[in-house]
Amino acid sequence: MYEINNRNEHKIHIIWCRRKCNWKSKYWDYEVIKDSLTNEMLWKEFDYTTFGLRRIYETAKLNDELDVAVLKKSKTIIIEDAEYTEDEGYKIKGKNLEDYIYKLENLEMQYIDKKMRLIRLSQENGFNIKEILINTSIIDQTGREFLPFNSKIPFPDRIIGNLKKLDLDSKEKIEKINTFIVINDLEFPDSKFNSKLLSTACFLYDQTYTATLLTLKFMVGVIGLESLLVDGKTELSYRLSRNCAMLLSSNAEEYYDIFSKMKKIYDKRSAYVHNGIIKNLDEQDVVCVRNILREVIFKILELNISQQELIKKLDLKGYVE
């Protein structure tokens, strides 16, 4: 809800996304909720028939009960510089009300894209927004409603393939995701690790979902790991495998398991770099690289030290048999 006051003491309210969420988050931001394709309010709001909504969102359902994940927000912004004239109505910063709302919608689309990427970073899942629905009503100081704006904005289908669905089986799991997407920023401004490297690694992580070719999905994941865990001064295959295994393991058995996985991953990476061909590459190789990259990103955020300190720490770490 956007509340606008002008200098002549006219007062209007721009109501933004009026339908309330099923439960209240402790954060005032976007939140994931679980809804259903059988919800009459949902298909009415999106202006579909019940059959039309089912047809459009069949691939989005989380389970056979037709549950779907919906990203929603309600927010209030107070603006002091709205102006009103009888001839032109309300203007904000010299712009017509329609132009101002259009600008808000475009900013919101960019912000939603970041939240969508954070949801995919939070756990292995193929969450992808199909459409954005923004219902806006303007109410004057007498309570009269006028000039409704209803925007249904399609998003491109970026996720291809049969990927794991978002896990919304409990309120605890939903709250965990919502906490993650609120407290994390893909720019990582407060990280002691190189924030640009972290941001780039997260972009590469998301490319493992959205790249058009399987080889590209695999390679961008490996490049993301290299950017975080090696300094380019030593032999990459061993250094990357060792650093990754040391960072993610807590005992010798875990170390050897992760080291072995990384060695196989790097062998396939090297084959592609030198020959342009990767034999026996499948979707599970991409999932494996993506899971490791996500765990590495999480561990780096947890440690919150510089890349130089991290690599030094991993050099000194070892397990006694």
Side-chain angles (χ1 to χ4, degrees):
M1 178 175 68
Y2 294 87
E3 181 178 293
I4 301 172
N5 297 302
N6 67 34
R7 296 169 188 165
N8 297 320
E9 296 186 353
H10 288 279
K11 184 177 181 181
I12 60 175
H13 292 78
I14 301 179
I15 312 298
W16 190 274
C17 300
R18 282 185 295 170
R19 189 163 74 91
K20 298 297 183 182
C21 298
N22 293 339
W23 58 282
K24 198 74 174 175
S25 172
K26 61 185 176 181
Y27 298 107
W28 199 243
D29 201 342
Y30 274 103
E31 61 183 359
V32 176
I33 65 169
K34 184 165 66 173
D35 213 317
S36 173
L37 294 180
T38 63
N39 182 359
E40 181 179 342
M41 286 297 296
L42 192 64
W43 55 263
K44 282 186 176 180
E45 283 190 332
F46 276 85
D47 195 26
Y48 286 113
T49 64
T50 181
F51 176 77
L53 188 74
R54 174 75 184 269
R55 179 169 52 83
I56 291 293
Y57 288 100
E58 176 67 24
T59 57
K61 65 181 183 182
L62 302 178
N63 48 47
D64 292 338
E65 283 71 45
L66 304 183
D67 290 330
V68 289
V70 179
L71 191 64
K72 297 185 69 66
K73 180 174 81 169
S74 176
K75 186 175 182 181
T76 300
I77 299 175
I78 298 175
I79 302 173
E80 301 289 352
D81 54 356
E83 297 180 346
Y84 179 84
T85 63
E86 293 292 338
D87 293 334
E88 297 184 287
Y90 285 100
K91 285 196 170 186
I92 303 171
K93 299 180 180 178
K95 293 183 178 294
N96 292 329
L97 203 53
E98 297 92 336
D99 295 333
Y100 187 77
I101 292 174
Y102 178 74
K103 180 181 178 181
L104 285 178
E105 289 178 348
N106 278 280
L107 290 172
E108 207 67 18
M109 287 173 63
Q110 298 173 34
Y111 190 61
I112 286 171
D113 184 68
K114 292 180 180 179
K115 293 299 179 182
M116 183 166 57
R117 288 174 55 197
L118 277 168
I119 289 171
R120 291 197 288 259
L121 179 63
S122 69
Q123 58 179 262
E124 174 66 21
N125 72 92
F127 182 80
N128 187 57
I129 293 173
K130 184 83 172 177
E131 286 180 313
I132 301 172
L133 177 64
I134 301 177
N135 291 329
T136 307
S137 296
I138 302 172
I139 301 174
D140 66 13
Q141 64 268 32
T142 67
R144 180 173 59 93
E145 186 172 338
F146 63 105
L147 291 179
F149 293 85
N150 299 298
S151 299
K152 188 164 68 172
I153 307 165
F155 254 44
D157 288 325
R158 298 178 179 177
I159 305 296
I160 302 172
N162 185 23
L163 295 171
K164 184 178 179 181
K165 302 294 185 179
L166 193 62
D167 186 356
L168 303 181
D169 288 343
S170 67
K171 283 188 176 182
E172 289 74 22
K173 289 180 179 180
I174 296 172
E175 181 66 18
K176 183 177 180 181
I177 295 170
N178 286 326
T179 301
F180 182 86
I181 66 175
V182 168
I183 66 175
N184 285 292
D185 181 342
L186 288 171
E187 300 300 321
F188 304 103
D190 300 322
S191 176
K192 294 179 182 178
F193 199 89
N194 187 311
S195 58
K196 186 176 181 180
L197 279 181
L198 264 178
S199 184
T200 299
C202 287
F203 171 79
L204 293 170
Y205 170 89
D206 205 64
Q207 288 289 300
T208 67
Y209 285 110
T210 61
T212 54
L213 299 175
L214 191 65
T215 49
L216 292 180
K217 291 179 180 180
F218 178 79
M219 289 299 294
V220 294
V222 179
I223 292 169
L225 287 168
E226 289 177 352
S227 70
L228 297 175
L229 294 179
V230 294
D231 55 14
K233 299 177 182 178
T234 53
E235 200 276 315
L236 280 177
S237 175
Y238 173 77
R239 179 61 63 181
L240 178 61
S241 300
R242 184 190 184 280
N243 282 355
C244 188
M246 278 296 176
L247 180 64
L248 301 182
S249 63
S250 58
N251 55 58
E253 183 178 356
E254 288 181 354
Y255 170 83
Y256 287 119
D257 180 58
I258 299 171
F259 185 91
S260 176
K261 287 179 182 177
M262 284 303 305
K263 191 68 171 62
K264 291 175 183 177
I265 286 170
Y266 202 86
D267 287 346
K268 291 188 177 185
R269 174 262 191 209
S270 297
Y272 184 74
V273 169
H274 295 117
N275 305 317
I277 299 173
I278 306 178
K279 294 182 179 180
N280 302 319
L281 183 70
D282 59 32
E283 195 67 46
Q284 284 307 306
D285 292 311
V286 175
V287 173
C288 181
V289 170
R290 184 162 59 230
N291 286 340
I292 292 173
L293 178 54
R294 180 173 61 253
E295 289 181 29
V296 166
I297 291 170
F298 287 176
K299 195 66 176 178
I300 287 173
L301 292 175
E302 176 189 329
L303 292 172
N304 196 25
I305 57 178
S306 70
Q307 186 183 40
Q308 185 179 9
E309 289 177 292
L310 176 64
I311 291 175
K312 183 178 179 180
K313 181 183 181 73
L314 296 175
D315 282 342
L316 297 174
K317 184 179 178 181
Y319 295 111
V320 179
E321 295 290 348

